[in-house]
């Protein structure tokens, strides 16, 4: 096996050749039920005809021109996603980390415009915002930061879902200018922010003139049962970022802003060579329109309730399971001990899952999942939990 690829992933011993909806087929033709969706990327499943046709058609017309020129498809996509998100303007890039970098730069511009010499962004423990130096610093995981010091200055960390801790920062950190949060922490173990907490954060930001910035890269795009997960709480951010499922696997990210935050960037302040090129925008337009036309956002809410109920019932008496939680099709099963071995055990059963935060099975299946496939996931997770519990007894 070639070793010319940098050793940045502990890859599983399987390679896929094609996909069909929620199924992936390896080089031997073995089928696997995908309950991870490319880590919340393939919301429409694999090889969705609408996205396939959009990419095929656009690739035969125009792939790239650069942002030195008008890109009508980019404006069309901006109108669509800002309308769904209740935002005013959009900046397109290539990934979630880049979208969050844009948000952090907006926060710093906001702070400097207010006369704050060294502006700070408040972030949460357990968060994951990316692997660039700034987003790595914003990430609340010491393990992924180790070895990359010195990290970037300008961040204050508080416990997740703790409004009192945030209020303390507000009272004691005059340099704070923004809060960056995930409404549902994905890498942190599928931890859902309480609606009352998000409303309290919004109120606190308004009181202190801070920007409220939501990272919805994993939980957005309809996965929670709303276009944005924050819409469950009725909270409107000043800045929100999306990526992952935005084009169902074609690389694209977006940082959206409203009000004064939408006017901060001016020509020369930020940019991207590839961001928002015609091919990426065409793929994203096909993805978002399909989500809406096929009512997959509503479907995610119903399917999520089915999975949550099924998993809770199936695992109710498991000695090893601590909790089943989530919102929509973003679900976690927490065990009382590290359970990474369940990934390979699931693979052997034809199920693709992920373990995050050491002890939590993370489920991020396509929004096109059928009821039967959802029930199959429940059955297989129950089998895994029973085997794991027996092995650890």
């Amino acid at each position: 096996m070639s070793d010319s690829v940098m050793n940045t992933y502990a890859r599983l011993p399987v390679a896929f050749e094609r996909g069909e909806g929620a199924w992936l087929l390896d080089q031997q033709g073995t089928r696997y039920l995908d309950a991870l969706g490319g880590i919340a990327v393939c919301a429409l499943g694999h090889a969705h005809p609408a996205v396939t046709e959009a990419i095929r058609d656009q690739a035969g017309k125009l792939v790239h021109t650069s942002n030195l020129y008008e890109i009508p498809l980019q404006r069309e996509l901006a109108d669509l996603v800002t309308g769904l998100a209740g935002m005013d303007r959009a900046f397109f890039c290539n990934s979630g980390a880049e979208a969050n970098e844009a948000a952090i730069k907006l926060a710093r511009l906001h702070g400097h415009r207010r006369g704050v010499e060294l502006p700070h962004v408040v972030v949460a423990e357990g968060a994951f915002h990316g692997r660039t130096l700034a987003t790595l610093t914003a990430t609340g995981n010491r393990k992924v930061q180790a070895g990359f010091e010195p990290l970037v200055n300008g961040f204050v960390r508080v416990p997740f879902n703790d409004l009192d801790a945030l209020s303390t920062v507000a009272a004691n950190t005059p340099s704070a200018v923004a809060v960056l949060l995930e409404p549902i922490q994905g890498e942190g173990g599928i931890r859902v922010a309480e609606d009352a907490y998000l409303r309290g954060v919004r109120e606190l930001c308004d009181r202190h003139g801070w920007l409220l910035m939501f990272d919805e890269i994993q939980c957005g795009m309809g996965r929670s049962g709303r276009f944005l997960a924050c819409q469950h709480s009725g909270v409107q951010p000043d800045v929100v970022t999306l990526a992952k499922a935005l084009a169902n696997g074609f690389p694209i990210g977006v940082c959206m802003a409203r009000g004064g935050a939408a006017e901060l960037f001016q020509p020369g302040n930020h940019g991207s060579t590839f961001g928002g090129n015609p091919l990426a925008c065409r793929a994203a337009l096909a993805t978002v329109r399909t989500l809406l036309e096929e009512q997959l956002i509503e479907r995610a809410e119903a399917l999520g309730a089915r999975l949550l109920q099924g998993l809770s019932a199936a695992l109710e008496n498991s000695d090893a399971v601590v909790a089943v939680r989530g919102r929509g099709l973003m679900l976690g099963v927490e065990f009382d001990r590290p359970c990474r071995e369940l990934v390979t055990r699931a693979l052997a059963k034809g199920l693709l899952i992920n373990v995050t935060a050491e002890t939590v099975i993370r489920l991020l299946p396509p929004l096109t999942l059928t009821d039967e496939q959802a029930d199959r996931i429940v059955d297989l997770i129950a089998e895994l939990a029973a085997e794991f519990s027996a092995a650890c007894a």
Side-chain angles (χ1 to χ4, degrees), residues 280-305:
C281 289
R282 181 75 184 276
L285 280 164
T287 301
V288 178
R289 286 170 176 159
T290 301
L291 282 175
L292 299 175
E293 291 165 4
E294 297 185 6
Q295 297 183 312
L296 292 175
I297 298 175
E298 296 85 351
R299 174 71 175 156
E301 186 167 37
L303 267 175

Side-chain angles (χ1 to χ4, degrees), residues 121-123 166 177-181 201 205 210-214:
V121 177
V122 185
V123 292
L166 192 58
V177 298
V179 177
L180 174 61
L181 293 171
V201 176
C205 287
W210 295 354
L211 295 182
L212 176 55
M213 309 194 301
F214 285 147

